[in-house]
Structures are given as structure tokens and as C-alpha cells.
Amino acid sequence: MNDIGGLHHVTCISGDAQENLDFYTGVLGMRMVKKSVNQDSPDTYHLFYADADGHAGSDITFFPWPGMQPVKHGFGLSMESSLAVPKGSLDYWAERVALSGAKPVAIESRRGERVMAFDDPHGLQIALIETSDKREFTAWNKSPVPKEKQILGLHAVRLWEDDVERTGAFLTDVLGFRKEGGDDGWHRYSVAGGGSGAHVEVKQAPGEPRGRWGVGGIHHVAWRVADDKAQLDVRQRVFEAHRRPTEVIDRFWFKSVYFMEPGGVLFEIATDGPGFTADENLATLGEKLVLPPWLEAMRAEIEAGLPALRYPSSRP
């Protein structure tokens, strides 16, 4: 079972869309590679931030729902998304994040990796983790962050569970992960040889209530597969494990299958292609609102209901 190649994307819930854009482009220096809407709720944006080329595995995405209640932390949720940064860049990032008004915690070590954790402006738990692992990455030449210090992509996610053994068995027996052992209560599982972008960490959350989606929380975690066949193979195993996967849904930039892992975290299996250039030129990714074909007839109405967005003019 070598179908899954690592993280594809992580989708989160934010507050105000402009504040979200200001932070992820103006502070973290990521490129907005797609500006679309939630295909199931087109009255809100779906914003995608990634490297310059929008490589699978580099993007963190957001549904801005400023009227939603804050996330309720608890088991059955992904609690933290970590982003990979180049080795030796964390001191730069500590200063940059602090200047933005966020409050990074002291740099710590996790399994020998230097880590800086903080909350984004809407409470999402983020960690920047130094790595020298080889990554698919293209620097963005319009980023306010120097090329040699830019965010490389997704590094890992952390889940809280009420039964680590049950979730661990699903990861290994159904999805093909390998158990890497524990550290400070966190159990690491990896795919595709492990390393940056190819692992998840799971922790038992005794006494914690079930979590609830909200602003500052992670909505779902997407794992990448190379093509349609690999996706269908994974879907079949998930179906046989009685996790009730959806049918394949065409998201135009990739195809998706969704299901709940045994602890309640929403997972997605997403294909690597066709990618974000399927409907836009690489040079102008993210500059216009892209809608799925069935919503084009409602473009004027949808655009009128969405707040105007502008790239930040001042950056730390």
C-alpha cells in the first residue's frame, strides 16, 4: 500500500477574509494561488495559499466564516498545522511573526527539529518547523519574504484522539502509514518514506470533550495520491473498513474523496493533478475569482455578496 504520498492540503476556518489574506501573503509571504468559493456554500470564499507554482503539498486553504463561533478544541479534530521552513531560518521567522503582532512561543525542539509555534490572527495553531528535507518548491518572486527563507509547504498535522490505538490501526492497516514511535505523548505515523510533508502526529486526549469546528480550527486534512487509480484503490480500502467514503468529487484542480477517520477527523484523498493552472495562467494565479461551471450563471450575484479583497500594501 504505497498509494498515499503525503499531505496534499489542509483546509481551515478563518474569520475576516482580508485579515486572513493580509497575514498569509503579507506576513508569511505565501502566494494566493486560487481565489474561489466554497463549492457547497458559495456565499463564502475558498482561498488557497501555496508556493509560487501551487505544488500539491504546499497549500493551506481557508473558508472565511467570520460569523461562526470559535473552534472548540477537543478530540476528533486536527489541532495544529505545521509549515516547513528552510534550515537556519527560524530566528528570522521569530522576529517577523512577532512584528506582525502574533505571539510566538520560544523556539523548542521536537524529535530534533527546531520548532516555533504561534496562533494566527484568528486563533489557528500554526508551527514553523525547520527542515533540510528535499521538497517540491518554487520560490515566489513577489513575496515579501526572501527566497531563501520562504515557507516550503506543509510539514505535518497533529490530531487529538480519544483512542490512539484505533486511529493508529486505521492509519497503518487501511491507509498504509508506518508507525514511527512516540515523543512527549505524540505518536508519529508516516508515508512515502516519511520526512517533511509525509507524516502525522496523534495524541490521546483523556478527559477532553469532542471538538467542534469553528473559527481558528482545521476543517479537514487532505492526503495526496498520484492519479485516479490510486485514489480509487484507497477509496475501496476505506469503504471496506466501513468508513463510508464519498463518491469521487471533481474539484477541477484535483479530484476528492472525503471520509471520517475512526476518531472523527475529516480526511480527504486528493489527486495531485490537474493542478491550479487547469483554469488560470501560472503568471496570474489567484488574481481573479474562479467559479465552478455550474455557478458561472450566478457570478454577478456571488461577487456582489463577497467582500472585495486586496493584496496588503504594508508588510513587516
Side-chain angles (χ1 to χ4, degrees), residues 8-306:
H8 186 282
H9 65 271
V10 174
T11 294
C12 311
I13 301 171
S14 77
D16 180 78
Q18 184 63 55
E19 293 174 358
N20 178 260
L21 175 62
D22 289 347
F23 187 77
Y24 283 88
T25 62
V27 177
L28 296 191
M30 303 179 78
R31 184 183 187 186
M32 186 166 68
V33 295
K34 193 65 63 178
K35 178 168 64 173
S36 190
V37 294
N38 183 316
Q39 293 183 14
D40 301 311
S41 180
D43 59 343
T44 191
Y45 281 115
H46 192 179
L47 305 178
F48 295 72
Y49 306 99
D51 72 345
D53 289 350
H55 282 112
S58 72
D59 55 314
I60 183 169
T61 90
F62 290 87
F63 300 139
W65 275 316
M68 185 179 283
Q69 74 278 8
V71 63
K72 178 184 177 183
H73 293 156
F75 71 84
L77 286 184
S78 181
M79 298 298 295
E80 177 192 90
S81 180
S82 61
L83 303 171
V85 296
K87 202 84 167 178
S89 67
L90 211 51
D91 292 335
Y92 165 86
W93 279 108
E95 181 179 359
R96 183 174 184 84
V97 170
L99 286 172
S100 76
K103 296 180 174 60
V105 300
I107 293 173
E108 60 179 331
S109 179
R110 298 179 186 173
R111 297 175 182 262
E113 299 171 326
R114 296 181 79 221
V115 179
M116 184 188 73
F118 60 93
D119 290 352
D120 83 355
H122 300 141
L124 179 67
Q125 295 180 7
I126 295 287
L128 299 182
I129 301 184
E130 287 187 346
T131 183
S132 57
D133 291 350
K134 186 176 180 180
R135 299 286 311 236
E136 292 178 294
F137 169 72
T138 304
W140 182 33
N141 60 12
K142 295 183 181 178
S143 174
V145 175
K147 292 181 180 181
E148 69 275 9
K149 300 184 188 300
Q150 288 181 22
I151 289 170
L152 305 173
L154 296 168
H155 186 78
V157 290
R158 285 185 151 188
L159 318 180
W160 274 11
E161 300 286 1
D162 65 337
D163 189 335
V164 167
E165 294 302 320
R166 181 178 59 174
T167 293
F170 179 80
L171 289 171
T172 56
D173 299 346
V174 179
L175 298 186
F177 282 71
R178 181 180 69 248
K179 189 172 183 179
E180 300 284 2
D183 179 62
D184 194 28
W186 290 97
H187 302 268
R188 179 175 287 190
Y189 297 83
S190 67
V191 287
S196 183
H199 63 272
V200 58
E201 294 188 332
V202 183
K203 188 173 187 177
Q204 192 91 12
E208 294 289 341
R210 175 170 289 279
R212 182 190 64 210
W213 284 334
V215 172
I218 294 174
H219 187 272
H220 65 267
V221 176
W223 301 98
R224 61 189 294 189
V225 290
D227 52 34
D228 295 356
K229 181 183 182 303
Q231 184 180 60
L232 291 174
D233 287 346
V234 176
R235 185 191 181 279
Q236 182 62 29
R237 296 201 302 271
V238 171
F239 175 79
E240 291 173 358
H242 309 292
R243 296 317 309 165
R244 301 174 63 185
T246 66
E247 297 299 323
V248 175
I249 301 171
D250 192 348
R251 298 302 192 194
F252 304 103
W253 319 300
F254 44 84
K255 293 180 180 179
S256 302
V257 170
Y258 301 88
F259 59 93
M260 295 281 192
E261 57 83 27
V265 180
L266 181 59
F267 276 5
E268 174 184 351
I269 304 299
T271 57
D272 279 354
F276 292 121
T277 57
D279 51 11
E280 289 185 282
N281 292 325
L282 179 61
T284 56
L285 286 181
E287 293 183 8
K288 66 177 183 178
L289 181 68
V290 175
L291 297 176
W294 69 86
L295 290 177
E296 275 295 342
M298 300 172 59
R299 175 174 285 275
E301 178 183 346
I302 290 171
E303 288 184 334
L306 294 171

